[in-house]
Amino acid sequence: MSVEPVCIGDSICLYSEETDGFIYSLQSSDVFPELAVGTRQDKVKPLIPDLQAVSFEVCVANRYKQDKVLRKLSNKKGGQDQYALQNAFSQAKLAAKAENDDNKVEMVRQTGKKLLYGQTIQLRHQFTKKYIHASTTLTSRSESNNMLVELLSYNAKNAQFRVMPRYKVKAEGDVVFIGDQVVFESIKSPGQYLHVSRGLFPPSFVYSDAHELGLSVRQSGFSITRQKKPEKDDQNKLRAGQLIRLFHKEIEAYLVAEGLFDDEVTEDVHFRLRPVSQTNPKTLFPSTSAITYWQFELEDKSLEGGLILWEQQVRVRHMITRKYLKISKEGKIHLEDSNVDPMTVFRLHPVIREKDEIEYETYCRIEHVVTGKWISTSPEPFEAKRTSSNNAVSNSMASLKWTQANLSKVTSDDDMKYDDAFTVQHVEDNLVQIFNFMAGCVPFIQKLIAQRKAGKTLKAKQAHSYVQALEQMCNFMIVDGEPSKDRQKLLRNLRLVELLVRLLQTPLRGSSDIIHLQKVFAKSYDVLYHYLKGNSRKNELYIAKHIDFFQTQFDLGIPNLEGDIGLKAVHMVMELIKDNRKIVDRITKEHINTFVNLLTQKKNYQYLDLLSVLCVCDGMALPENQEHITRAWLMGRNKSVVYNTDLGEKIDRDRGVVYMSTDNGRTWIALHEFVAKQDDSVVDNQKFLFLTHQLDLFGKLCFGRNKFAIDVITKALSYLTWEEAFLCLSNEQLPDSLRAKYCDLIIAMFVDIDENVSVLDRIKLTFVYDEVNNNADDEFGKV
């Protein structure tokens, strides 16, 4: 047994002697805060999903009262003096910040001091950066006679525990050593201890094959294993368990793989070339893509997070797939599940050796221990599976390439080559945290998909939890009101886009739990919408291949129910198409006809917005789409999908007043009276929104001086004449925003038109031969 003491600031792993497993958590969402305990795990070399998932930092008991006041004030709503509430909130925020700063100073002061039995501590989970809390109001998921233990991000008395010896060979005041068996007594509930449940989690939980950590009067003993001991001068040195990138310096490429843990490996190990270019500032900085993240584990003690030395035997683990790098006897490099396979063991050799420790950004070569081969590059390009879509029709969505990165094969060589040198790059802490959060969202989505495939009925409480967790994902992708690309791209890297699409493809109609599923599906589209916000073309092109499926969901769901799936899908697809010419050019006339037909089923302004983004792309008019939408929408058989306006004198009403009809001319109402009713009910408000967005679509159809659309709207079908537009513009009873729309339409339809354009603005130099008639000389001039 080790005689090393446990110190404040150490990262430890807790091994249950009852189940022969470690305490861990794989979920980051606040909705799923449970802690699980594994079974039948090797104490020295366990197969665990992530070293951070079983690691807990020993922290001093933090002060928490000011933070508690702040949380109470933040939860208060209306019904009182808002000024006084805001003032109290500001003061509490400052006090909580000062308290938090004091906690950090105290933690630094205490770091390195020996932990004593009877001392009060907090345990901070390294994967989620949350503290273990013992609830006093909620019961355990698996044992109703015990209390719930959960991971929460704030300090509280519930998060404080007294470390006590399990056996009488140790007493209070003695030093806690590595390997000791201890129990943890709650400070909030004296006489109750952290306890491992006898049974497993219920089948509906992610940890259905594990025991639950709860709070009980019965004690459970835990053996302490040290994962990491912090050292002041080790920040720039390579440690086991830390996330790193492997960058091949000669060919300027990252060692990567693609796929998802507990799912599949879509692209095996290969090099992703990322040449440094002065003209592209992004390449001057390390990649933030999670497919480049790896983790070293010590071969003999995989739990330890100590310093890695040159020529020490290690395993290299890919963080996205959670598989190990392996070289077969034939020299082929791929990923492997097992953490005991001798073919997954490597050594790092320095190019220039100065110290025994490995510092970041130093050059190294990677040797395979069993075969003696070296990881090397190959001149052959790596054929990714996604390139199979290149065989698709050239103008189809499947043919879109979301990345232009060059890929190269990774191979092994019997001889060490001088230029096969890698730099070990450290992954910044903020990138690690956001990666862990998104990786922690994967398990509950995978669980929901498995339940749907198994035909399990979704309960209301479960659906509410899933909706809350998905909402947290939406909020996570927005930072200070702006979308964060580093966070959004994790949905690509972790294949969360595919998981959500797979969930949405599960049957909905005819399900007994359709009301609950409706909300989950609608919130899934919200996640995809937040993924698309901003100007990331990669994000848009990556998801574009699923447009045909999303289109089938436009009429899905229960009308007038919270979270209409169809409208959510339309909203997301509109964000996907908007100002992306590559995608817009692949939208066919059949797609447009489908979008127009949606208006016959439900008059919703979001369908008009969907047609609008197909008329103008990034400031450029798309005449072919404009004309087709004009024919399909305005000249189609079903004209009830358009709100009509007309002058009073033409329909036997008051002269000089513009009237409108929402039912194809059966009833009429003065426009100013219609607008005044918009706030009276939800229905009237929706009608007003439909009118304003219809005017926006008129403007998009006429954008770029589209003569055909202008003639149809102003003359042929008289949807909006000059007299109507001018009267609306001059009517002070209408809101300024609506009058401004009519002003824009007057410019687009009656000012900036063909007759008001110089012939030199549009010079046509090419013609279709079959369309050139005998009078071509008269039309174009003699050659």
Side-chain angles (χ1 to χ4, degrees):
M1 180 182 294
S2 174
V3 295
E4 294 185 18
V6 179
C7 301
I8 300 297
D10 286 0
S11 293
I12 61 174
C13 302
L14 298 173
Y15 186 80
S16 171
E17 300 295 338
E18 298 176 13
T19 65
D20 295 330
F22 289 93
I23 300 176
Y24 70 96
S25 176
L26 295 174
Q27 300 194 84
S28 56
S29 173
D30 295 338
V31 186
F32 304 105
E34 302 86 10
L35 281 155
V37 183
T39 57
R40 298 185 296 277
Q41 291 179 320
D42 188 287
K43 197 171 184 178
V44 179
K45 298 171 67 174
L47 181 59
I48 52 178
D50 188 344
L51 188 56
Q52 301 171 89
V54 298
S55 180
F56 297 86
E57 182 184 11
V58 180
C59 303
V60 295
N62 289 323
R63 294 163 53 195
Y64 59 88
K65 291 186 178 180
Q66 297 301 326
D67 184 64
K68 184 178 180 180
V69 172
L70 179 63
R71 285 185 285 108
K72 283 186 176 180
L73 289 174
S74 63
N75 292 329
K76 284 188 177 181
K77 298 182 180 179
Q80 53 186 304
D81 187 349
Q82 292 298 312
Y83 177 79
L85 179 62
Q86 185 64 33
N87 187 44
F89 181 81
S90 300
Q91 293 180 359
K93 191 174 181 179
L94 292 174
K97 183 180 183 302
E99 182 181 69
N100 187 49
D101 292 340
D102 289 344
N103 287 335
K104 291 180 179 178
V105 171
E106 181 63 16
M107 182 64 189
V108 172
R109 189 180 72 85
Q110 295 278 7
T111 296
K113 290 188 177 182
K114 296 177 181 180
L115 179 65
L116 306 178
Y117 283 110
Q119 188 172 345
T120 300
I121 63 169
Q122 295 180 196
L123 293 172
R124 191 185 190 198
H125 189 222
Q126 294 290 64
F127 183 75
T128 60
K129 301 300 181 184
K130 297 178 182 180
Y131 297 99
I132 296 181
H133 281 240
S135 176
T136 56
T137 57
L138 301 175
T139 58
S140 171
R141 313 296 190 190
S142 57
E143 295 178 335
S144 58
N145 57 336
N146 293 333
M147 303 307 293
L148 177 68
V149 170
E150 53 190 344
L151 289 170
L152 299 174
S153 58
Y154 55 84
N155 292 302
K157 193 173 183 179
N158 303 65
Q160 297 178 1
F161 297 89
R162 182 179 289 109
V163 185
M164 302 296 290
R166 186 181 186 188
Y167 301 109
K168 294 181 180 179
V169 293
K170 295 290 182 73
E172 289 191 46
D174 290 346
V175 176
V176 182
F177 289 96
I178 301 298
D180 283 4
Q181 291 195 30
V182 302
V183 296
F184 295 95
E185 182 184 10
S186 172
I187 298 298
K188 181 70 173 178
S189 303
Q192 297 194 31
Y193 305 84
L194 292 184
H195 169 71
V196 180
S197 66
R198 295 180 179 178
L200 302 178
F201 271 97
S204 59
F205 283 77
V206 168
Y207 312 117
S208 56
D209 58 347
H211 298 269
E212 182 181 10
L213 184 68
L215 191 71
S216 174
V217 294
R218 299 192 303 271
Q219 300 178 359
S220 289
F222 301 95
S223 294
I224 297 179
T225 300
R226 176 183 285 157
Q227 190 267 325
K228 182 177 67 173
K229 183 177 181 64
E231 299 291 345
K232 292 183 179 179
D233 57 347
D234 288 348
Q235 287 80 5
N236 195 42
K237 296 177 181 177
L238 178 61
R239 279 183 172 273
Q242 292 182 329
L243 269 62
I244 54 96
R245 312 178 191 91
L246 293 171
F247 184 71
H248 196 286
K249 196 67 175 179
E250 183 66 23
I251 65 171
E252 297 182 317
Y254 285 97
L255 188 67
V256 302
E258 296 182 37
L260 180 61
F261 52 86
D262 299 330
D263 197 61
E264 64 175 340
V265 177
T266 55
E267 306 292 353
D268 217 326
V269 187
H270 58 280
F271 283 115
R272 184 182 182 88
L273 275 64
R274 195 172 186 263
V276 176
S277 173
Q278 297 294 332
T279 60
N280 186 2
K282 183 175 65 174
T283 62
L284 302 178
F285 300 93
S287 171
T288 58
S289 179
I291 62 174
T292 64
Y293 296 170
W294 298 83
Q295 188 182 67
F296 285 120
E297 291 183 8
L298 296 175
E299 188 274 332
D300 52 346
K301 296 180 180 179
S302 59
L303 280 181
E304 289 194 4
L307 293 176
I308 295 179
L309 308 178
W310 293 117
E311 300 178 17
Q312 191 172 12
Q313 294 187 0
V314 295
R315 286 186 170 86
V316 189
R317 192 175 203 180
H318 189 235
M319 296 307 298
I320 292 290
T321 60
R322 291 179 178 168
K323 295 179 183 292
Y324 294 91
L325 192 66
K326 175 181 179 179
I327 298 183
S328 64
K329 293 180 179 179
E330 297 77 20
K332 183 180 179 182
I333 300 179
H334 58 94
L335 295 174
E336 166 66 37
D337 288 317
S338 174
N339 69 327
V340 294
D341 189 340
M343 306 300 286
T344 60
V345 182
F346 294 84
R347 288 195 191 99
L348 302 182
H349 293 265
V351 174
I352 301 175
R353 184 165 186 160
E354 297 178 349
K355 302 177 182 179
D356 289 336
E357 300 89 359
I358 303 175
E359 294 186 349
Y360 292 117
E361 301 299 333
T362 55
Y363 297 101
C364 69
R365 301 184 182 93
I366 305 176
E367 178 195 15
H368 190 237
V369 172
V370 175
T371 63
K373 294 179 180 293
W374 301 79
I375 294 182
S376 178
T377 60
S378 171
E380 298 180 38
F382 178 79
E383 293 296 331
K385 294 179 183 178
R386 59 173 174 264
T387 57
S388 61
S389 62
N390 295 343
N391 298 325
V393 180
S394 60
N395 62 349
S396 67
M397 293 295 176
S399 66
L400 279 173
K401 289 184 177 181
W402 63 270
T403 177
Q404 300 297 327
N406 293 320
L407 309 180
S408 176
K409 283 187 177 181
V410 57
T411 184
S412 60
D413 201 298
D414 293 331
D415 300 321
M416 180 188 70
K417 294 181 179 179
Y418 182 81
D419 59 340
D420 276 329
F422 294 84
T423 57
V424 181
Q425 298 177 352
H426 178 251
V427 179
E428 295 78 2
D429 290 342
N430 63 311
L431 294 178
V432 174
Q433 290 181 22
I434 64 175
F435 169 76
N436 287 344
F437 177 85
M438 279 301 183
C441 293
V442 171
F444 82 83
I445 299 178
Q446 290 178 326
K447 185 67 177 181
L448 179 55
I449 294 172
Q451 287 182 312
R452 296 298 304 147
K453 289 185 176 180
K456 300 292 181 62
T457 301
L458 188 64
K459 305 297 183 183
K461 186 176 181 180
Q462 292 175 319
H464 180 68
S465 298
Y466 287 131
V467 169
Q468 283 186 309
L470 292 169
E471 177 65 24
Q472 191 175 0
M473 289 178 63
C474 294
N475 297 334
F476 185 75
M477 286 183 277
I478 306 299
V479 179
D480 297 330
E482 297 293 330
S484 169
K485 286 188 178 181
D486 287 341
R487 301 186 180 200
Q488 288 174 323
K489 72 164 63 173
L490 289 171
L491 267 72
R492 290 198 326 256
N493 300 152
L494 287 160
R495 295 182 62 79
L496 277 162
V497 170
E498 280 75 13
L499 283 181
L500 291 172
V501 171
R502 203 182 305 168
L503 172 62
L504 293 167
Q505 288 174 337
T506 58
L508 178 68
R509 289 191 175 99
S511 302
S512 58
D513 52 357
I514 185 173
I515 295 179
H516 306 317
L517 281 174
Q518 172 96 358
K519 298 176 183 179
V520 175
F521 280 25
K523 188 56 64 177
S524 298
Y525 275 112
D526 278 344
V527 174
L528 295 176
Y529 171 75
H530 281 77
Y531 159 77
L532 291 168
K533 291 186 72 173
N535 298 315
S536 175
R537 286 294 177 261
K538 279 188 178 181
N539 288 347
E540 294 171 353
L541 296 174
Y542 183 84
I543 199 176
K545 58 181 176 289
H546 300 294
I547 281 185
D548 288 337
F549 163 70
F550 295 142
Q551 182 180 315
T552 64
Q553 301 252 300
F554 287 171
D555 60 347
L556 195 61
I558 305 174
N560 303 321
L561 184 69
E562 178 188 357
D564 191 315
I565 298 175
L567 294 180
K568 294 286 186 180
V570 169
H571 190 48
M572 186 274 293
V573 170
M574 182 182 67
E575 185 68 25
L576 168 61
I577 296 174
K578 183 173 63 177
D579 290 337
N580 193 322
R581 189 61 184 264
K582 288 185 177 180
I583 297 177
V584 171
D585 286 345
R586 285 167 170 77
I587 297 295
T588 64
K589 293 182 179 179
E590 288 73 19
H591 286 119
I592 295 176
N593 293 337
T594 301
F595 301 158
V596 172
N597 289 336
L598 292 171
L599 288 168
T600 64
Q601 304 172 24
K602 184 191 304 181
K603 284 186 181 179
N604 190 285
Y605 68 91
Q606 292 191 35
Y607 298 147
L608 299 176
D609 292 343
L610 184 58
L611 295 173
S612 294
V613 299
L614 297 174
C615 298
V616 181
C617 182
D618 204 14
M620 294 287 293
L622 305 175
E624 188 174 347
N625 284 356
Q626 289 173 322
E627 293 179 12
H628 185 76
I629 293 172
T630 301
R631 289 190 177 92
W633 177 44
L634 299 178
M635 303 175 68
R637 296 180 180 179
N638 193 342
K639 296 185 179 181
S640 62
V641 296
V642 186
Y643 282 2
N644 296 291
T645 57
D646 215 336
L647 298 175
E649 54 265 32
K650 294 184 178 180
I651 55 173
D652 298 329
R653 302 295 173 95
D654 294 342
R655 185 178 183 83
V657 177
V658 176
Y659 287 80
M660 72 164 296
S661 173
T662 61
D663 53 10
N664 200 26
R666 288 192 290 273
T667 59
W668 295 88
I669 182 174
L671 182 58
H672 62 274
E673 294 178 2
F674 170 80
V675 172
K677 292 175 57 180
Q678 64 170 306
D679 295 326
D680 293 345
S681 68
V682 175
V683 174
D684 290 331
N685 187 48
Q686 290 294 317
K687 290 181 178 179
F688 176 75
L689 288 173
F690 190 92
L691 171 65
T692 57
H693 287 258
Q694 175 178 295
L695 296 176
D696 290 337
L697 181 52
F698 281 169
K700 297 291 185 182
L701 291 173
C702 300
F703 185 85
R705 301 183 174 99
N706 190 303
K707 188 176 187 305
F708 176 78
I710 293 173
D711 288 344
V712 170
I713 295 173
T714 61
K715 298 176 182 177
L717 298 178
S718 300
Y719 280 112
L720 184 64
T721 63
W722 158 257
E723 292 81 2
E724 295 169 20
F726 182 76
L727 284 174
C728 292
L729 173 61
S730 57
N731 189 349
E732 296 183 357
Q733 293 178 290
L734 298 179
D736 292 343
S737 59
L738 186 60
R739 295 170 66 189
K741 290 184 183 296
Y742 280 104
C743 180
D744 292 337
L745 288 174
I746 286 175
I747 295 174
M749 295 180 178
F750 305 105
V751 178
D752 290 341
I753 56 176
D754 280 352
E755 290 78 3
N756 196 29
V757 179
S758 170
V759 294
L760 297 179
D761 286 351
R762 295 183 182 180
I763 302 175
K764 191 172 183 180
L765 301 177
T766 58
F767 305 93
V768 179
Y769 181 82
D770 294 336
E771 295 178 0
V772 178
N773 55 33
N774 295 328
N775 298 322
D777 289 345
D778 297 333
E779 186 174 354
F780 306 120
K782 294 183 179 180
V783 179

